[in-house]
Amino acid sequence: MEHDVLIVGAGPSGAITAKRLAEEGFRVLVLEQGDWPDYSKATVHREDFPLTAGRDWGWDPNLRQAPGDYPIDDTESDITALMWNGVGGGTVVYAAQWQRNMPSDFRVKTLDGIADDWPMTYEDLEPYYVRVERDFGISGLANDTAFPPGEGPPLPPVPLGPAGRRVAKAHNDLGWHWWPAPNAIATRDYGGLHACQQVGTCLQACAYGAKGTADLTHWPRALELGVELRTRARVRELIVRPDGLVGGARYIDADGNEQEARAGVTVLAANGVGTPRLLLLSGDSPDGLANSSGMVGKRLMMHPFGTVVGVFDEDFRAWQGPWGQFIHSLEFYETDESRGFVRGAKWGLQPTGGPFSMTSAYPWGAENEIWGEGFQDAVRGRLGHSTMWGIIAEDLPEESNRVVIDRVNRDADGVPGAKIEYRLSENSRRLVEFHQARAKESLLAAGARDVVVAPFIRSTGWHLLGTTVMGTDPATSVVDAQGRCHDVPNLYVFDGSVWPTSAGMNPTATIAALALRFAEQLIETRREQKVAA
Ligand SMILES: Cc1cc2nc3c(=O)[nH]c(=O)nc-3n(C[C@H](O)[C@H](O)[C@H](O)COP(=O)(O)OP(=O)(O)OC[C@H]3O[C@@H](n4cnc5c(N)ncnc54)[C@H](O)[C@@H]3O)c2cc1C
Ligand code: SF4
């Protein structure tokens, strides 16, 4: 066998796993359906960038239709699933808001009597958070009062900026939590990253190499260590052997030819939609592979998102970045039953962008358009003078929210696409409404002359979690606490699909820490590991 481990997906979870295994001498092959990001298209200095960015750096695979994308039917979903299919995965276009989960996020069942506890604690994951923060060049400030004390990020925080200072002062007056926000944005030259230029296009692509994206932070070293990365290699199914082990994958290469990749162990790092899609397409059973629990694809969590924008007299120069977040607040993160819902949300204070963004659904909400009479004055009123709280709401795992196979819509290689069925629960609705109302209070206390609470924005499914749930009981979970499929002992899932609950945080910090921990557990147990010979 040429490779010890096959990894599907070259986003952060795949990249972290590949690099760490290669450091220990494993022969690793990674199959990635997309390409390397083409930063020559990150023409942020050009006036037409806000227009071309939608084409070149869009978030919705159904609109983008790049060669590495696959269709995702969202007609029965309240939220559109967003992703970047290529080397670096979602980090290429992410906002780089880098949030650890809170200790309570690992103990939701114990604390709130709902959903499930994680088979690990915050303390178990803490050393891995510290290490991935060094690897991704995270900026921030240690000892956030909302968290247990400990080592913080390696780089100083991004500047609070005039908006951050104003809102922070308001929170001091209100007695509400705030802290300089953690971001995967280099505030000075660091490793292979360059210092941030504050251009604020993080959500399209960083032209300056300042954003901690896996194509920059992990892939160069992984390739030096001998990892073989094949791009434009779309896995269509896993190879299941007569003994029940997985022997690798069948994939379609850039020329449209079917190929086989064989390896002793296979790791899926294809995200909360791509991983269940692949499991449901594999094996002889109509239920797919590794699915004796029936849970593959179920419990999809995407974090309902709220935006509340404050418009101020003061000119914040709010088109400048980072975007990213200046400060965050965890004031209302924990459950308070008197509010009529469980769990909570993290708020991140962000810029609102240039003239084009003043007219867009994100962050203002489609119903708050300003076209027509008074357009110029309205743009002038918002542009530079606004700042927004982005609210990441925890949604609870529900089996009816799920990923299924769509045999009608197929990708460019003829592989069936995915369909997501997802409805906002009553708990989520109440949670978002409560948080939006508090965020409005925050901005009014900071002196906003107007506050726009955006009606629900659909295109906000940045976080794809929960669809191969991790747990100790094979009857109710797909993978164990090592990320190993209960049903197939040489098949692993190392991406956000394994999350038992969603937390109310941007997830990449925890996805990264978990991937590193899983990789090291695989290394530790290598001698007992069953492999496909
Ligand atoms: C616009 C946007 C903004 C975001 N902002 C933030 C943020 O501020 N903070 C934060 O924490 N998170 C953010 N996220 C989420 C973040 O990008 C993801 O959490 C993270 O990238 C997940 O990492 P992953 O490696 O598990 O999956 P991904 O990054 O999605 O990578 C999976 C890879 O697998 C590949 N793949 C899938 N199926 C196959 C197949 N069949 N064959 C071959 N390859 C396959 C895909 O092409 C992809 O490259 C954002 C996401 C988006 C889209
Ligand atoms: S604000 Fe900084 S991190 Fe964001 S795109 Fe600009 S240079 Fe890159």
Side-chain angles (χ1 to χ4, degrees):
M1 188 90 50
E2 202 183 329
H3 295 101
D4 300 313
V5 179
L6 166 68
I7 300 171
V8 182
S13 56
I16 290 164
T17 307
K19 174 170 168 283
R20 187 68 194 96
L21 294 179
E23 283 166 354
E24 296 300 321
F26 285 73
R27 296 163 305 165
V28 181
L29 170 65
V30 179
L31 299 177
E32 166 54 54
Q33 62 192 356
D35 291 302
W36 284 85
D38 178 0
Y39 289 113
S40 72
K41 292 182 178 164
T43 50
V44 298
H45 51 283
R46 288 180 51 138
E47 282 178 3
D48 60 357
F49 183 69
L51 298 173
T52 59
R55 177 193 66 204
D56 296 330
W57 304 101
W59 310 330
D60 181 346
N62 291 334
L63 300 178
R64 195 175 51 216
Q65 298 188 1
D69 290 329
Y70 55 94
I72 303 176
D73 179 349
D74 58 11
T75 50
E76 289 181 48
S77 174
D78 290 338
I79 299 182
T80 300
L82 306 170
M83 62 182 73
W84 182 267
N85 293 314
V87 180
T91 59
V92 172
V93 290
Y94 76 162
Q97 301 179 11
W98 188 271
Q99 296 284 154
R100 296 183 187 188
N101 284 1
M102 295 265 269
S104 67
D105 291 321
F106 299 85
R107 305 176 60 235
V108 171
K109 175 87 174 170
T110 303
L111 295 173
D112 298 309
I114 42 141
D116 300 288
D117 288 348
W118 291 44
M120 66 191 68
T121 62
Y122 175 85
E123 288 70 27
D124 292 332
L125 219 47
E126 202 258 353
Y128 300 92
Y129 279 129
V130 170
R131 288 167 60 195
V132 293
E133 285 169 6
R134 288 186 206 139
D135 293 343
F136 278 88
I138 306 304
S139 53
L141 192 62
N143 294 318
D144 185 332
T145 50
F147 284 87
E151 185 174 331
L155 294 173
V158 301
L160 296 189
R165 280 197 298 276
R166 252 209 191 228
V167 177
K169 183 177 176 312
H171 276 224
N172 286 346
D173 295 342
L174 290 163
W176 288 4
H177 172 266
W178 70 274
W179 198 256
N183 291 288
I185 292 177
T187 41
R188 58 173 163 74
D189 289 354
Y190 180 85
L193 300 175
H194 301 294
C196 171
Q197 304 297 311
Q198 305 252 346
V199 181
T201 62
C202 320
L203 268 164
Q204 282 80 34
C206 179
Y208 300 94
K211 206 168 70 159
T213 63
D215 54 303
L216 300 179
T217 54
H218 287 71
W219 273 112
R221 182 66 187 139
L223 296 177
E224 272 173 22
L225 288 165
V227 174
E228 188 183 340
L229 169 61
R230 294 183 196 157
T231 54
R232 296 289 289 279
R234 188 191 317 271
V235 176
R236 73 167 181 80
E237 68 172 354
L238 302 178
I239 299 169
V240 185
R241 302 177 353 145
D243 63 4
L245 294 178
V246 162
R250 293 194 181 87
Y251 69 96
I252 297 153
D253 69 17
D255 300 322
N257 298 318
E258 177 150 320
Q259 308 282 357
E260 283 195 356
R262 302 262 168 189
V265 167
T266 297
V267 175
L268 302 182
N271 85 31
V273 177
T275 286
R277 175 190 182 219
L278 211 41
L279 289 175
L280 293 170
L281 286 172
S282 300
D284 291 334
S285 158
D287 297 332
L289 185 63
N291 198 15
S292 64
S293 64
M295 296 309 292
V296 171
K298 292 182 180 162
R299 298 167 62 116
L300 172 67
M301 296 172 281
M302 294 198 279
H303 287 155
F305 185 72
T307 52
V308 181
V309 197
V311 184
F312 293 75
D313 290 330
E314 188 180 341
D315 185 357
F316 294 144
R317 301 179 68 79
W319 54 84
Q320 286 187 326
W323 191 339
Q325 49 183 354
F326 306 121
I327 63 173
H328 72 182
S329 176
L330 299 164
E331 177 64 26
F332 301 101
Y333 194 81
E334 304 290 357
T335 297
D336 175 343
E337 278 177 16
S338 69
R339 295 176 193 150
F341 58 86
V342 291
R343 307 306 297 157
K346 162 244 155 184
W347 307 357
L349 193 76
Q350 299 157 45
T352 49
F356 195 67
S357 301
M358 297 307 108
T359 63
S360 64
Y362 174 74
W364 303 92
E367 291 79 352
N368 287 311
E369 275 182 357
I370 50 175
W371 301 106
E373 211 176 315
F375 174 73
Q376 306 243 348
D377 284 343
V379 169
R380 262 192 293 276
R382 291 176 171 187
L383 181 62
H385 291 266
S386 46
T387 189
M388 67 173 264
W389 278 121
I391 298 166
I392 307 284
E394 172 157 0
D395 53 346
L396 301 174
E398 291 173 63
E399 292 189 20
S400 54
N401 287 339
R402 58 182 190 154
V403 175
V404 295
I405 295 299
D406 175 3
R407 296 197 184 270
V408 177
N409 299 300
R410 292 171 180 254
D411 64 31
D413 296 310
V415 183
K419 179 178 185 188
I420 55 173
E421 297 169 356
Y422 176 97
R423 295 292 175 219
L424 240 63
S425 69
E426 188 53 32
N427 193 74
S428 296
R429 281 184 204 285
R430 288 187 193 171
L431 192 159
V432 172
E433 268 171 29
F434 171 88
H435 278 264
Q436 284 179 324
R438 299 292 82 70
K440 182 173 180 177
E441 281 175 33
S442 153
L443 293 169
L444 289 173
R449 68 174 149 78
D450 186 21
V451 175
V452 177
V453 177
F456 189 71
I457 306 172
R458 198 178 139 78
S459 269
T460 49
W462 301 298
H463 307 156
L464 306 167
L465 305 166
T467 47
T468 62
V469 58
M470 169 171 58
T472 49
D473 183 355
T476 55
S477 58
V478 179
V479 302
D480 66 14
Q482 276 80 49
R484 184 196 327 243
C485 291
H486 293 299
D487 296 349
V488 187
N490 73 336
L491 177 62
Y492 290 79
V493 179
F494 282 5
D495 60 51
S497 310
V498 304
W499 288 32
T501 53
S502 73
M505 299 285 190
N506 315 71
T508 308
T510 303
I511 289 174
L514 207 50
L516 183 58
R517 180 177 147 106
F518 283 155
E520 297 202 337
Q521 284 168 336
L522 187 58
I523 293 164
E524 277 162 30
T525 56
R526 64 202 297 180
R527 302 211 186 285
E528 302 100 68
Q529 175 65 51
K530 278 196 182 161
V531 296

